[in-house]
Amino acid sequence: GWLTIPPLADQGAAFPLVGAWQRWDACWYSKIATFGYEPQELSVNFWPLFPVLTGSVARLVGGSVALAGLIVSGIAYIAAMVAIHRLVARDEDAPTARRTMLLISIFPSAFFLFAPFTEALFLALAVWTIVAARERRWWLAAVVGLFAALTRIQGVFLALPIGWEAMAAAGLTAWRPWRDGGRPTIAWRPLLVSGLAAAGPVLGFASFLVFTAVVAGQTPLDTQDAWGGKEFYPPWEVVDAAWRWTIEKGDPLQFLNLAVLLLFGLLLALGVRRLPAAYSLYAFPQFVLLATRIQPTPLTSTNRYVLVLFPAFVMLALIPWRRARLAWGIASVLFLAILVQGFLTGTYIA
């Protein structure tokens, strides 16, 4: 139903070099980068920061939005890895941080961190937001959190880890009334400043809803019916639907999505007590969305969406058995090669 078609790198040498990555969601981002949000089109379901950056870079590379998207994702990937190393080395140690970076980079769907999709950009902005909050750099957390919320709808959840860190800075998270008694001593002015930082992601989320309502006549919330509906289901129903789909359709990708969902659910559950609370407050709301939606098939693109759930990769990196980590790495690289080959030849992986 597109009325306008963005520049597609589908001819000559441009296709194997950059155009082969321009598939599915990447085409939508190319369209928005070229024409913006056109009235009554479904493009408002795709959030603006990535296409804005892609369009800006495209002007510097001869108008190729396909190449520009790859450049934006490549730079964002580097920024994400730097942020993960800084955060995890701070909270754990440098070897765990390096293993976390490696495990993310060789995950079966890790090629989406380099493709013109939002994974790398969202991961970079989300982790830097948490870094800023844990380092008590509140205005930076607010601004970067706002940008994250302009990259994906899930960015609004960053208000939770920022808010938690704000309460921690005020001493509220350490207060136990049955142990400490009385009322906690609160520094109200610093709490107000830090608490306002949590408004950054909410402001980004709300501003895009207002913008799309004015410019396109509908918001991302209005277009959900076209992308699988607005219904939520109990997780066990989603798991059952995914398993039945796997058996009935003989779909190995669906089996991979189901296995990934169960594994990441276990890792995030184990991380609740092992990792800082801000990690779980960031990851769990996104995981719950994956585990309660059936759109348009059970667990569509789950293997891609979990890429940004970095706390699960931290838990993998903390596995004490070197052979287990090595076996995981070998299997991960093999699946990565299979999915890359499928993506580049047109199999729906996204």
Side-chain angles (χ1 to χ4, degrees), residues 73-89 94 96-106 110 113-114 119-121 123-125 127-128 131 307-308 310 313:
S73 288
I75 294 173
Y77 167 77
I78 296 173
M81 293 301 105
V82 172
I84 285 173
H85 189 275
R86 178 164 174 163
L87 180 65
V88 179
T96 302
R98 290 193 292 269
R99 288 197 297 269
T100 302
M101 295 162 60
L102 176 63
L103 289 168
I104 293 176
S105 300
I106 64 173
L113 294 170
F114 304 93
E119 268 63 34
L121 182 60
L123 179 62
L125 293 170
V127 180
W128 275 113
V131 168
L307 268 177
V308 301
F310 74 90
F313 292 99

Side-chain angles (χ1 to χ4, degrees), residues 11-350:
Q11 302 293 326
F15 177 73
L17 292 176
V18 296
W21 296 96
Q22 205 174 17
R23 300 182 185 277
W24 301 296
D25 289 8
C27 295
W28 281 100
Y29 290 120
S30 296
K31 178 178 172 62
I32 299 165
T34 306
F35 301 108
Y37 292 96
E38 299 171 287
Q40 304 306 319
E41 284 205 340
L42 298 176
S43 57
V44 295
N45 201 63
F46 298 88
W47 291 64
L49 186 59
F50 185 82
V52 166
L53 294 176
T54 298
S56 300
V57 174
R59 298 185 184 94
L60 304 177
V61 292
S64 174
V65 289
L67 175 59
L70 292 172
I71 292 172
V72 171
S73 288
I75 294 173
Y77 167 77
I78 296 173
M81 293 301 105
V82 172
I84 285 173
H85 189 275
R86 178 164 174 163
L87 180 65
V88 179
R90 176 189 186 278
D91 293 329
E92 297 294 336
D93 53 54
T96 302
R98 290 193 292 269
R99 288 197 297 269
T100 302
M101 295 162 60
L102 176 63
L103 289 168
I104 293 176
S105 300
I106 64 173
F107 191 69
S109 58
F111 59 92
F112 282 108
L113 294 170
F114 304 93
F117 287 66
T118 60
E119 268 63 34
L121 182 60
F122 182 74
L123 179 62
L125 293 170
V127 180
W128 275 113
T129 298
I130 297 173
V131 168
R134 288 189 61 72
E135 293 181 355
R136 310 302 187 239
R137 300 165 67 184
W138 302 115
W139 293 113
L140 179 61
V143 172
V144 182
L146 183 149
F147 285 139
L150 290 174
T151 304
R152 273 188 176 178
I153 190 171
Q154 293 90 337
V156 70
F157 294 136
L158 283 164
L160 298 176
I162 297 175
W164 175 268
E165 291 299 329
M167 291 192 298
L172 290 175
T173 60
W175 177 64
R176 299 292 184 270
W178 60 87
R179 182 191 65 196
D180 304 327
R183 295 182 179 181
T185 301
I186 302 173
W188 288 105
R189 181 172 294 181
L191 179 62
L192 178 62
V193 173
S194 59
L196 285 175
V202 178
L203 178 61
F205 173 82
S207 63
F208 185 60
L209 294 186
V210 173
F211 172 82
T212 52
V214 172
V215 172
Q218 58 184 344
T219 72
L221 304 181
D222 299 324
T223 61
Q224 287 302 303
D225 287 335
W227 302 97
K230 303 174 183 177
E231 295 79 13
F232 292 86
Y233 303 86
W236 54 88
E237 290 187 11
V238 176
V239 169
D240 178 67
W243 176 250
R244 286 188 286 105
W245 181 282
T246 300
I247 299 302
E248 295 170 5
K249 305 289 185 180
D251 186 349
L253 183 61
Q254 186 66 268
F255 179 77
L256 175 63
N257 284 333
L258 178 57
V260 164
L261 181 80
L262 297 176
L263 173 63
F264 273 63
L266 174 62
L267 291 171
L268 293 178
L270 293 174
V272 169
R273 294 183 62 86
R274 178 64 180 78
L275 300 175
Y279 289 36
S280 296
L281 289 171
Y282 161 74
F284 259 109
Q286 298 182 68
F287 179 81
V288 169
L289 280 182
L290 292 177
T292 56
R293 300 280 280 152
I294 300 177
Q295 56 165 11
T297 63
L299 304 183
T300 300
S301 301
T302 293
N303 68 86
R304 171 164 67 95
Y305 291 143
V306 298
L307 268 177
V308 301
L309 303 183
F310 74 90
F313 292 99
V314 177
M315 290 302 298
L316 282 174
L318 288 170
I319 292 175
W321 307 294
R322 185 174 181 275
R323 290 184 177 180
R325 295 199 304 266
L326 179 61
W328 170 271
I330 293 172
S332 189
V333 169
L334 290 175
F335 278 106
L336 172 60
I338 293 170
L339 292 190
V340 168
Q341 193 273 339
F343 180 88
L344 294 178
T345 55
T347 301
Y348 184 79
I349 305 294

